Amino acid sequence: MTRIIVVTSGKGGVGKTTTSAAVAMGLAQRGHRTVVIDFDVGLRNIDLIMGCERRVVYDFINVINGEANINQAMIRDKRCNDLYILPTSQTKDKEALTRKGVGKVLDELSESFDYIVCDSPAGIEHGAKMAMYFADDAIVVTNPEVSSVRDSDRMLGILASKSRRAENNQEPIKEYLLLTRYCPQRVKQGEMLHVDDVQEILSLHLLGVIPESRSVLSASNAGKPVILDEKSDAGDAYADVVERYLGQELPHRFLEVQRKGLLGRLFGG
């Protein structure tokens, strides 16, 4: 049974596309046929993060409008045969995402994929509502700051009431919390919310905590999901996220200030 995963947030710039790319790659690396779809019409980014922007010929909107079929629009990842990317349009209007059109595409993809990852725009604009409507699972991405958490709390109400599952009286969307750009040192200094505070506000199952890391920007600029960077704390954290999503119980890492070694204490490294 195919699972449709929406990666969402109430606020922009929290790491949704980074998360969508990393989770999709992680699932595919573990042998699950996975496609990641960009729902941010006009501001697409998933093709950049995945390093396939030059290979885009047709897009999601072309498929919805009947101007191309899914196989023409999907791009197979060069690093993992089980991963495909479906970019969206940079020029069309957001209203081109119709419920009927999106549903038809997702139904067709469900015939051959195990997981469909929907990279949603921020907030409650049209593309975000379309991505959330069809979801089975939701990864709510937030930063450890009050405004980001508050906006994420608003998204939970939409997930609970305006989804296909809610309309059909089915089991609710499974909601997961992903905390990004977490810096234990700044938490200790009172500049960021503690992970426990965020959980208390949102009351969601904690899927993972992604530490603040320069490797995220470096990976994005290089056109590769950060989960492929095995020397990065952020990459390791995303690998843990995928394993937890698939049912493995793992302790959460990167929550405490790392103690410096002897040389670090002596020389300030």
Side-chain angles (χ1 to χ4, degrees):
M1 179 69 73
T2 303
R3 299 294 292 184
I4 300 175
I5 307 167
V6 63
V7 179
T8 186
S9 74
K11 190 175 181 181
V14 298
K16 288 185 304 301
T17 302
T18 295
T19 297
S20 297
V23 169
M25 176 61 78
L27 290 169
Q29 284 182 317
R30 286 152 183 79
H32 303 287
R33 277 180 58 82
T34 304
V35 57
V36 56
I37 306 176
D38 195 334
F39 274 77
D40 200 354
V41 179
L43 295 171
R44 77 180 187 211
N45 280 312
I46 197 69
D47 56 315
L48 292 172
I49 300 293
M50 300 301 295
C52 63
E53 68 276 10
R54 295 181 183 178
R55 297 165 61 196
V56 177
V57 178
Y58 294 108
D59 57 51
F60 190 18
I61 304 303
N62 291 139
V63 177
I64 289 175
N65 291 340
E67 299 161 350
N69 63 46
I70 289 178
N71 288 329
Q72 288 178 294
M74 284 194 305
I75 301 169
R76 182 180 238 171
D77 187 84
K78 292 181 178 180
R79 296 151 298 203
C80 184
N81 288 335
D82 283 321
L83 179 59
Y84 290 78
I85 301 96
L86 182 56
T88 196
S89 173
Q90 286 183 304
T91 58
K92 297 291 195 303
D93 188 86
K94 298 178 186 296
E95 299 302 318
L97 286 173
T98 64
R99 183 175 293 186
K100 182 179 179 180
V102 172
K104 183 178 179 181
V105 172
L106 294 178
D107 286 344
E108 187 172 342
L109 290 171
S110 295
E111 295 176 4
S112 54
F113 285 92
D114 301 313
Y115 292 100
I116 300 172
V117 179
C118 303
D119 182 29
S120 170
I124 56 174
E125 60 122 290
H126 184 69
K129 291 178 180 178
M130 285 294 101
M132 289 187 285
Y133 179 78
F134 293 96
D136 299 309
D137 303 323
I139 298 176
V140 180
V141 183
T142 187
N143 292 157
E145 56 181 58
V146 173
S147 62
S148 181
V149 174
R150 181 189 61 191
D151 289 347
S152 293
D153 198 22
R154 186 183 183 191
M155 303 305 294
L156 297 179
I158 297 173
L159 286 166
S161 61
K162 293 190 176 182
S163 69
R164 179 170 60 176
R165 285 178 166 268
E167 286 183 2
N168 296 335
N169 291 318
Q170 294 176 314
E171 183 180 343
I173 294 173
K174 289 186 178 180
E175 300 165 342
Y176 302 92
L177 170 64
L178 184 68
L179 196 56
T180 56
R181 300 186 67 181
Y182 194 78
C183 178
Q185 183 65 44
R186 294 182 65 187
V187 171
K188 189 175 181 180
Q189 294 170 351
E191 298 175 1
M192 284 184 171
L193 294 174
H194 191 278
V195 60
D196 292 340
D197 298 326
V198 178
Q199 277 191 282
E200 183 176 347
I201 295 169
L202 297 179
S203 299
L204 293 179
H205 174 74
L206 182 63
L207 191 60
V209 176
I210 311 299
E212 192 163 20
S213 172
R214 293 179 182 176
S215 62
V216 172
L217 180 59
S218 298
S220 297
N221 289 336
K224 71 174 186 178
V226 70
I227 196 171
L228 296 177
D229 186 353
E230 298 177 354
K231 297 181 180 179
S232 160
D233 285 351
D236 289 344
Y238 273 116
D240 288 352
V241 164
V242 173
E243 295 293 352
R244 290 192 197 97
Y245 175 77
L246 292 174
Q248 186 172 343
E249 293 187 10
L250 295 174
H252 290 281
R253 299 188 278 171
F254 315 113
L255 300 182
E256 305 295 334
V257 177
Q258 293 185 357
R259 296 183 61 184
K260 294 180 180 178
L262 177 60
L263 291 177
R265 293 196 298 273
L266 288 174
F267 299 105

